Amino acid sequence: MTSLPAPDSARLAALNEHFRFGLSAADLDEFAPAVEATLTAPIAVEQLYRRAASPAPERSWAPPAPEHNRLGAWYVTTSIDGSSGGPLAGRTVAVKDNVAVAGVPMMNGSRTLEGFVPRQDATVVRRLLDAGATIAGKSVCEDLCFSGGSFTSQPGPVRNPWDTTRNSGGSSSGSGALVASGEVDLAVGGDQGGSIRIPAAFCGIVGHKPTHGLVPYTGAFPIERTIDHLGPMTRTVADAATMLSVLAGTDGADPRQSRQVEPVDYLAALTETASGLRVGVVAEGFGTAASDPEVDAAVHAAVDVLRSAGLAAEHVSIPWHLDAMHVWNVIATEGAAYQMLDGNAYGMNTDGFYDPELIAHFAAQRLERGHELSETVKLVGLSGRYTFEVGGGKYYAMARQLVPELRAAYDAALTDYDVLVMPTVPYTAKKIPPADVALGDYLDVALSMVGNTAPFDVTGHPACSVPAGLVDGLPTGLMIVGNTFDDATVLRVAHTYEQAVGGFPSPPALMSSAR
């Protein structure tokens, strides 16, 4: 854009109506020259920005060949080599497609971002390459990452490697499926309501949501700053610890990182014994309306394994856990409608990294192709915008004011226990619904599993899902939660469990038919 046309009288009238300024037509005519005079600044800023901006690097990529994408988990494939040495040398990584890899298309599972190619690598991508990893491609994710299923994504659903008729969990659906099937060694996931841990549980892998702010979100498509997380998805806890050591630390560009993060060797932390650590089994995480009793039983059996490994475990009640979803729902709907939709992903009013090209691309296509958004995103927009208009933002403000009380409830339990545990998700992977599924069933498959995961996106506590055994041949997850910035203890308990069970199983050969 080399010029910015001044608003005509109709546009000024619409703006006047939007703000309820009560200006007359004569008043607006008087304001028009003053408004036009202010436009020299955005024009100058755009010129200055373009003068300083560097082009995206040229990197090769390709759509996946159908015969090599049976799970629908790849968006595009690449082979971007990192440093010749480092802790991840020789390891292949899938990057969730809400995370920017410069010069490679980024769709975020949505037609509203289709065609966008970022100029800069996300911080986590730079760190992976510096650590020697090879970026093998972009993994499919749910539409704008707002689903715990794996069927709202574009260009198509992601299938579970344990049973290809079932969903792989979301929103990091492709990352979970690719790691579980062995197509990559490691993957980057994102988590705002459980989107690392849900696919980890459904696909039978390790998924670690770090403490909020431990891993920079810079260069990833935001949903809501206070709940945005990135983290590792791997087959072993040791790999998750190694990857977290690479990803963690401040980058100076992410407003989510409000404190300096001291480096931790998470892999070395696994060598410390977990024997004697105290485990609180959260009663409210079991026996919910959505719970499968067999999943609850599998997680209780996993707790018995921890006891046999020398940890002390007992039940603890945290009543706030049952109300936590109300707080998350307001933040995730009103907050996301305000920032992700009306704010075109980034919103305003904070320091840190912004992606003007992504904002412009999404702003245009969100309006032009809004009808192609998933039903979950449409629900967020309808509900979140409505409560904002009715309450003027008071419901979001109330929810944010309740967060310290909610966080304190878990912190109080964590003074008596080193970690808290519960099922990651209340049931095993569900069938992928047909395209003509009724809205109620659509939303149930997409959102009904987040009751235990979403609270810790709000509070920021680290939470790791590890496989807790099979129910009818499908994986379940044990979720381990710890004190903020004590990710090392969470991973240590997870590693102890993994060692005690002799490692985690891999899915059988891919099946083309239902059980």
Side-chain angles (χ1 to χ4, degrees):
M1 182 179 67
T2 56
S3 65
L4 182 58
D8 59 20
S9 58
R11 191 66 176 270
L12 284 175
L15 293 169
N16 178 46
E17 178 63 23
H18 174 79
F19 287 111
R20 303 294 196 270
F21 285 154
L23 297 170
S24 66
D27 293 332
L28 291 175
D29 287 342
E30 189 175 7
F31 265 101
V35 171
E36 183 173 5
T38 68
L39 303 184
T40 57
I43 293 170
V45 162
E46 181 169 20
Q47 292 171 342
L48 291 166
Y49 174 79
R50 294 196 182 283
R51 189 173 70 190
S54 56
E58 291 188 9
R59 285 170 167 167
S60 61
W61 57 272
E67 63 271 22
H68 299 305
N69 196 29
R70 290 187 61 197
L71 300 175
W74 287 113
Y75 173 46
V76 296
T77 57
T78 64
S79 184
I80 304 171
D81 292 329
S83 301
S84 58
L88 298 180
R91 311 301 298 279
T92 56
V93 182
V95 176
K96 183 179 180 179
D97 194 38
N98 73 326
V99 178
V101 177
V104 177
M106 174 179 170
M107 189 173 174
N108 199 15
S110 182
R111 297 297 184 195
T112 59
L113 202 64
E114 191 171 20
F116 174 69
V117 179
R119 290 192 306 104
Q120 301 179 58
D121 285 331
T123 297
V124 294
V125 171
R126 290 199 303 271
R127 289 179 176 178
L128 289 167
L129 292 172
D130 288 345
T134 295
I135 306 299
K138 304 295 295 293
S139 56
V140 171
C141 59
E142 294 295 271
D143 192 338
L144 299 187
C145 296
F146 219 100
S147 166
S150 66
F151 65 96
T152 75
S153 50
Q154 299 292 344
V158 178
R159 301 183 178 278
N160 193 310
W162 291 81
D163 180 345
T164 57
T165 69
R166 296 177 185 267
N167 76 71
S168 66
S171 62
S172 308
S173 47
S175 290
L178 291 169
V179 170
S181 63
E183 294 189 49
V184 292
D185 299 316
L186 317 164
V188 175
D191 199 309
Q192 282 91 2
S195 292
I196 288 172
R197 294 159 288 159
I198 294 165
F202 282 171
C203 292
I205 64 170
V206 178
H208 183 76
K209 182 200 77 66
T211 299
H212 187 256
L214 178 61
V215 173
Y217 201 82
T218 308
F221 190 105
I223 287 181
E224 210 280 347
R225 284 186 186 89
T226 68
I227 59 174
D228 289 334
H229 300 74
L230 296 176
M233 301 177 70
T234 62
R235 283 193 291 278
T236 69
V237 177
D239 278 350
T242 301
M243 195 172 170
L244 184 61
S245 294
V246 168
L247 300 179
T250 52
D251 71 350
D254 184 3
R256 299 162 189 79
Q257 297 188 287
S258 59
R259 53 172 279 185
Q260 186 68 32
V261 179
E262 296 299 323
V264 174
D265 186 340
Y266 293 103
L267 183 62
L270 303 187
T271 63
E272 300 177 35
T273 180
S275 180
L277 292 181
R278 302 158 299 167
V279 178
V281 184
V282 180
E284 289 78 7
F286 299 80
T288 69
S291 295
D292 178 345
E294 291 188 63
V295 171
D296 282 355
V299 173
H300 282 303
V303 173
D304 287 338
V305 170
L306 289 174
R307 289 191 180 101
S308 70
L311 286 76
E314 61 184 28
H315 287 275
V316 60
S317 177
I318 307 176
W320 244 117
H321 187 67
L322 296 177
D323 290 321
M325 278 302 300
H326 299 307
V327 178
W328 180 85
N329 267 322
V330 170
I331 292 171
T333 55
E334 191 167 317
Y338 188 83
Q339 179 181 328
M340 181 179 73
L341 294 179
D342 283 331
N344 295 315
Y346 280 83
M348 297 181 179
N349 306 118
T350 189
D351 197 7
F353 174 80
Y354 289 81
D355 190 331
E357 290 82 16
L358 183 150
I359 291 168
H361 188 99
F362 180 57
Q365 294 209 161
R366 180 176 65 81
L367 299 179
E368 183 179 335
R369 307 187 72 172
H371 61 285
E372 297 182 71
L373 285 165
S374 69
E375 309 308 307
T376 49
V377 174
K378 290 173 183 174
L379 177 64
V380 168
L382 293 172
S383 175
R385 182 67 196 183
Y386 172 74
T387 57
F388 176 78
E389 288 182 351
V390 171
K394 75 174 183 179
Y395 298 112
Y396 181 88
M398 290 173 178
R400 292 302 322 167
Q401 287 297 98
L402 288 171
V403 170
E405 187 175 345
L406 173 61
R407 185 181 294 122
Y410 295 115
D411 286 343
L414 286 164
T415 62
D416 296 322
Y417 302 98
D418 297 290
V419 295
L420 305 173
V421 299
M422 64 192 79
T424 307
V425 290
Y427 48 73
T428 55
K430 292 189 175 186
K431 296 279 188 179
I432 294 174
D436 61 352
V437 64
L439 179 62
D441 293 332
Y442 179 110
L443 295 175
D444 179 72
V445 178
L447 299 173
S448 63
M449 75 292 286
V450 302
N452 282 347
T453 55
F456 302 105
D457 291 283
V458 169
T459 65
H461 291 89
C464 185
S465 180
V466 293
L470 303 179
V471 170
D472 294 330
L474 294 170
T476 64
L478 164 70
M479 186 167 66
I480 305 164
V481 180
N483 281 293
T484 53
F485 293 100
D486 190 16
D487 296 63
T489 296
V490 171
L491 291 168
R492 186 152 52 108
V493 173
H495 181 66
T496 297
Y497 173 76
E498 180 183 17
Q499 298 302 109
V501 298
F504 301 134
S506 297
L510 295 180
M511 297 171 292
S512 59
S513 60
R515 282 189 167 77

